[in-house]
Short mmCIF file of all heavy atoms in Angstrom, two decimals:
data_model
loop_
_atom_site.label_atom_id
_atom_site.label_comp_id
_atom_site.label_asym_id
_atom_site.label_seq_id
_atom_site.Cartn_x
_atom_site.Cartn_y
_atom_site.Cartn_z
N PRO A 44 9.06 25.66 10.85
CA PRO A 44 9.49 26.82 10.07
C PRO A 44 10.39 27.75 10.89
O PRO A 44 10.47 27.64 12.12
CB PRO A 44 8.17 27.52 9.73
CG PRO A 44 7.13 26.48 9.88
CD PRO A 44 7.61 25.61 11.01
N PRO A 45 11.07 28.68 10.21
CA PRO A 45 11.91 29.65 10.92
C PRO A 45 11.16 30.36 12.05
O PRO A 45 10.00 30.74 11.88
CB PRO A 45 12.32 30.63 9.83
CG PRO A 45 12.26 29.81 8.57
CD PRO A 45 11.10 28.89 8.76
N HIS A 46 11.84 30.49 13.18
CA HIS A 46 11.35 31.22 14.35
C HIS A 46 10.08 30.62 14.96
O HIS A 46 9.31 31.32 15.60
CB HIS A 46 11.16 32.70 14.02
CG HIS A 46 12.38 33.28 13.37
ND1 HIS A 46 13.56 33.47 14.05
CD2 HIS A 46 12.63 33.62 12.07
CE1 HIS A 46 14.47 33.94 13.21
NE2 HIS A 46 13.93 34.04 12.01
N CYS A 47 9.89 29.31 14.77
CA CYS A 47 8.78 28.59 15.39
C CYS A 47 9.36 27.51 16.31
O CYS A 47 10.56 27.22 16.26
CB CYS A 47 7.90 27.95 14.32
SG CYS A 47 7.01 29.16 13.30
N SER A 48 8.51 26.93 17.15
CA SER A 48 9.03 25.96 18.12
C SER A 48 7.94 25.00 18.60
O SER A 48 6.75 25.25 18.41
CB SER A 48 9.61 26.69 19.34
OG SER A 48 8.59 27.41 20.02
N ILE A 49 8.40 23.93 19.23
CA ILE A 49 7.55 23.03 20.01
C ILE A 49 7.90 23.35 21.45
O ILE A 49 9.08 23.27 21.85
CB ILE A 49 7.83 21.55 19.68
CG1 ILE A 49 7.49 21.27 18.22
CG2 ILE A 49 7.01 20.65 20.62
CD1 ILE A 49 7.90 19.89 17.74
N GLY A 50 6.91 23.74 22.24
CA GLY A 50 7.17 24.20 23.60
C GLY A 50 7.59 23.10 24.57
O GLY A 50 7.50 21.91 24.29
N TRP A 51 8.05 23.56 25.72
CA TRP A 51 8.50 22.70 26.81
C TRP A 51 7.36 21.80 27.26
O TRP A 51 6.27 22.30 27.56
CB TRP A 51 8.98 23.59 27.95
CG TRP A 51 9.49 22.89 29.15
CD1 TRP A 51 8.82 22.69 30.32
CD2 TRP A 51 10.78 22.31 29.34
NE1 TRP A 51 9.61 22.02 31.21
CE2 TRP A 51 10.83 21.77 30.63
CE3 TRP A 51 11.90 22.20 28.53
CZ2 TRP A 51 11.94 21.13 31.14
CZ3 TRP A 51 13.02 21.57 29.03
CH2 TRP A 51 13.04 21.04 30.32
N HIS A 52 7.59 20.49 27.27
CA HIS A 52 6.55 19.56 27.69
C HIS A 52 7.17 18.30 28.28
O HIS A 52 8.30 17.95 27.97
CB HIS A 52 5.62 19.21 26.53
CG HIS A 52 6.30 18.54 25.38
ND1 HIS A 52 7.07 19.23 24.47
CD2 HIS A 52 6.33 17.24 24.99
CE1 HIS A 52 7.53 18.39 23.56
NE2 HIS A 52 7.10 17.17 23.85
N GLN A 53 6.40 17.64 29.13
CA GLN A 53 6.86 16.44 29.83
C GLN A 53 6.26 15.20 29.18
O GLN A 53 5.13 15.22 28.72
CB GLN A 53 6.45 16.49 31.31
CG GLN A 53 6.99 15.32 32.11
CD GLN A 53 6.60 15.39 33.57
OE1 GLN A 53 5.57 15.93 33.92
NE2 GLN A 53 7.44 14.83 34.42
N HIS A 54 7.04 14.13 29.20
CA HIS A 54 6.57 12.83 28.69
C HIS A 54 6.31 11.90 29.86
O HIS A 54 7.23 11.45 30.51
CB HIS A 54 7.60 12.23 27.72
CG HIS A 54 7.53 12.89 26.39
ND1 HIS A 54 6.71 12.42 25.39
CD2 HIS A 54 8.11 14.02 25.92
CE1 HIS A 54 6.82 13.23 24.35
NE2 HIS A 54 7.64 14.20 24.65
N VAL A 55 5.03 11.65 30.11
CA VAL A 55 4.61 10.75 31.18
C VAL A 55 4.06 9.49 30.52
O VAL A 55 3.11 9.56 29.75
CB VAL A 55 3.55 11.41 32.08
CG1 VAL A 55 3.07 10.44 33.14
CG2 VAL A 55 4.08 12.69 32.70
N GLY A 56 4.71 8.36 30.77
CA GLY A 56 4.26 7.11 30.19
C GLY A 56 4.71 6.88 28.76
O GLY A 56 4.29 5.92 28.13
N ASN A 57 5.55 7.78 28.24
CA ASN A 57 6.09 7.58 26.90
C ASN A 57 7.41 8.34 26.75
O ASN A 57 7.82 9.08 27.63
CB ASN A 57 5.08 8.00 25.82
CG ASN A 57 4.66 9.45 25.94
OD1 ASN A 57 5.46 10.33 26.21
ND2 ASN A 57 3.38 9.72 25.73
N THR A 58 8.06 8.10 25.64
CA THR A 58 9.32 8.76 25.32
C THR A 58 9.23 9.28 23.89
O THR A 58 8.38 8.82 23.12
CB THR A 58 10.51 7.78 25.48
OG1 THR A 58 11.73 8.48 25.22
CG2 THR A 58 10.40 6.60 24.55
N GLU A 59 10.09 10.23 23.53
CA GLU A 59 10.02 10.80 22.19
C GLU A 59 11.40 11.20 21.68
O GLU A 59 11.90 12.27 22.00
CB GLU A 59 9.11 12.03 22.17
CG GLU A 59 8.97 12.64 20.79
CD GLU A 59 8.13 13.89 20.78
OE1 GLU A 59 8.09 14.61 21.79
OE2 GLU A 59 7.53 14.15 19.73
N PRO A 60 12.02 10.34 20.89
CA PRO A 60 13.27 10.76 20.25
C PRO A 60 12.96 11.61 19.01
O PRO A 60 11.94 11.42 18.35
CB PRO A 60 13.93 9.44 19.85
CG PRO A 60 12.80 8.49 19.67
CD PRO A 60 11.73 8.92 20.64
N TYR A 61 13.85 12.56 18.73
CA TYR A 61 13.81 13.34 17.50
C TYR A 61 15.03 12.93 16.68
O TYR A 61 16.14 12.87 17.22
CB TYR A 61 13.95 14.84 17.77
CG TYR A 61 12.84 15.51 18.53
CD1 TYR A 61 13.13 16.64 19.29
CD2 TYR A 61 11.52 15.08 18.47
CE1 TYR A 61 12.13 17.31 19.97
CE2 TYR A 61 10.52 15.75 19.16
CZ TYR A 61 10.83 16.86 19.91
OH TYR A 61 9.85 17.53 20.59
N TYR A 62 14.86 12.69 15.40
CA TYR A 62 15.98 12.45 14.49
C TYR A 62 15.97 13.62 13.51
O TYR A 62 15.02 13.78 12.72
CB TYR A 62 15.83 11.12 13.76
CG TYR A 62 16.94 10.88 12.77
CD1 TYR A 62 18.23 10.58 13.21
CD2 TYR A 62 16.72 10.97 11.40
CE1 TYR A 62 19.26 10.38 12.31
CE2 TYR A 62 17.75 10.77 10.50
CZ TYR A 62 19.01 10.48 10.95
OH TYR A 62 20.04 10.28 10.06
N ILE A 63 17.00 14.46 13.56
CA ILE A 63 17.05 15.66 12.74
C ILE A 63 17.43 15.29 11.30
O ILE A 63 18.46 14.65 11.08
CB ILE A 63 18.05 16.69 13.32
CG1 ILE A 63 17.80 16.93 14.83
CG2 ILE A 63 17.98 18.00 12.52
CD1 ILE A 63 16.42 17.38 15.20
N LEU A 64 16.59 15.70 10.36
CA LEU A 64 16.81 15.39 8.95
C LEU A 64 17.46 16.55 8.19
O LEU A 64 18.25 16.33 7.28
CB LEU A 64 15.47 15.08 8.26
CG LEU A 64 14.69 13.88 8.77
CD1 LEU A 64 13.30 13.86 8.13
CD2 LEU A 64 15.46 12.61 8.45
N LYS A 65 17.09 17.77 8.54
CA LYS A 65 17.50 18.93 7.74
C LYS A 65 17.44 20.18 8.60
O LYS A 65 16.57 20.31 9.46
CB LYS A 65 16.53 19.06 6.56
CG LYS A 65 16.71 20.25 5.68
CD LYS A 65 15.65 20.25 4.58
CE LYS A 65 15.57 21.62 3.94
NZ LYS A 65 14.44 21.72 3.02
N GLY A 66 18.34 21.09 8.36
CA GLY A 66 18.31 22.38 9.04
C GLY A 66 19.00 22.34 10.39
O GLY A 66 19.78 21.44 10.69
N GLU A 67 18.66 23.33 11.19
CA GLU A 67 19.29 23.53 12.51
C GLU A 67 18.22 23.91 13.52
O GLU A 67 17.31 24.67 13.21
CB GLU A 67 20.32 24.65 12.39
CG GLU A 67 21.01 25.00 13.67
CD GLU A 67 22.01 26.13 13.46
OE1 GLU A 67 23.05 25.88 12.82
OE2 GLU A 67 21.72 27.25 13.92
N GLY A 68 18.36 23.36 14.73
CA GLY A 68 17.44 23.70 15.79
C GLY A 68 18.17 23.84 17.10
O GLY A 68 19.35 23.51 17.21
N VAL A 69 17.46 24.32 18.11
CA VAL A 69 18.00 24.41 19.47
C VAL A 69 17.13 23.50 20.34
O VAL A 69 15.95 23.77 20.55
CB VAL A 69 17.99 25.85 20.00
CG1 VAL A 69 18.51 25.89 21.43
CG2 VAL A 69 18.81 26.76 19.09
N PHE A 70 17.74 22.40 20.79
CA PHE A 70 17.06 21.41 21.61
C PHE A 70 17.29 21.76 23.08
O PHE A 70 18.43 21.96 23.50
CB PHE A 70 17.61 20.01 21.32
CG PHE A 70 17.00 18.92 22.16
CD1 PHE A 70 15.71 18.48 21.91
CD2 PHE A 70 17.71 18.34 23.19
CE1 PHE A 70 15.15 17.47 22.67
CE2 PHE A 70 17.15 17.32 23.96
CZ PHE A 70 15.87 16.90 23.71
N THR A 71 16.22 21.85 23.86
CA THR A 71 16.32 22.07 25.29
C THR A 71 16.06 20.74 25.98
O THR A 71 14.97 20.18 25.86
CB THR A 71 15.31 23.13 25.78
OG1 THR A 71 15.51 24.33 25.02
CG2 THR A 71 15.51 23.43 27.25
N ASP A 72 17.07 20.23 26.69
CA ASP A 72 17.01 18.94 27.35
C ASP A 72 16.33 19.07 28.71
O ASP A 72 16.06 20.18 29.19
CB ASP A 72 18.42 18.39 27.52
CG ASP A 72 18.48 16.88 27.46
OD1 ASP A 72 17.48 16.22 27.78
OD2 ASP A 72 19.55 16.36 27.10
N ASN A 73 16.07 17.94 29.33
CA ASN A 73 15.37 17.86 30.61
C ASN A 73 15.98 18.77 31.68
O ASN A 73 15.26 19.34 32.49
CB ASN A 73 15.33 16.42 31.10
CG ASN A 73 14.47 16.25 32.33
OD1 ASN A 73 13.29 16.50 32.31
ND2 ASN A 73 15.09 15.81 33.42
N ASP A 74 17.30 18.89 31.69
CA ASP A 74 17.97 19.71 32.71
C ASP A 74 18.08 21.18 32.32
O ASP A 74 18.72 21.96 33.01
CB ASP A 74 19.35 19.13 33.03
CG ASP A 74 20.31 19.18 31.85
OD1 ASP A 74 19.93 19.66 30.76
OD2 ASP A 74 21.46 18.71 32.01
N GLY A 75 17.46 21.55 31.18
CA GLY A 75 17.50 22.94 30.73
C GLY A 75 18.66 23.25 29.80
O GLY A 75 18.74 24.36 29.27
N THR A 76 19.55 22.29 29.58
CA THR A 76 20.68 22.49 28.67
C THR A 76 20.17 22.71 27.26
O THR A 76 19.31 21.98 26.78
CB THR A 76 21.60 21.24 28.68
OG1 THR A 76 22.06 21.02 30.00
CG2 THR A 76 22.78 21.43 27.75
N LYS A 77 20.71 23.72 26.60
CA LYS A 77 20.35 24.01 25.21
C LYS A 77 21.50 23.59 24.31
O LYS A 77 22.64 23.95 24.56
CB LYS A 77 20.05 25.49 25.02
CG LYS A 77 18.80 25.94 25.76
CD LYS A 77 18.52 27.41 25.52
CE LYS A 77 17.34 27.89 26.32
NZ LYS A 77 16.08 27.46 25.82
N THR A 78 21.18 22.80 23.27
CA THR A 78 22.18 22.30 22.34
C THR A 78 21.73 22.56 20.92
O THR A 78 20.59 22.25 20.56
CB THR A 78 22.37 20.77 22.53
OG1 THR A 78 22.70 20.51 23.89
CG2 THR A 78 23.46 20.24 21.63
#
Side-chain angles (χ1 to χ4, degrees):
H46 310 290
C47 293
S48 64
I49 297 172
W51 180 259
H52 61 283
Q53 184 179 29
H54 283 270
V55 177
N57 58 41
T58 183
E59 181 183 29
Y61 294 152
Y62 178 72
I63 310 303
L64 298 171
K65 175 182 164 188
E67 178 180 289
V69 178
F70 178 74
T71 305
D72 212 333
N73 187 61
D74 64 0
T76 302
K77 293 181 184 286
T78 304

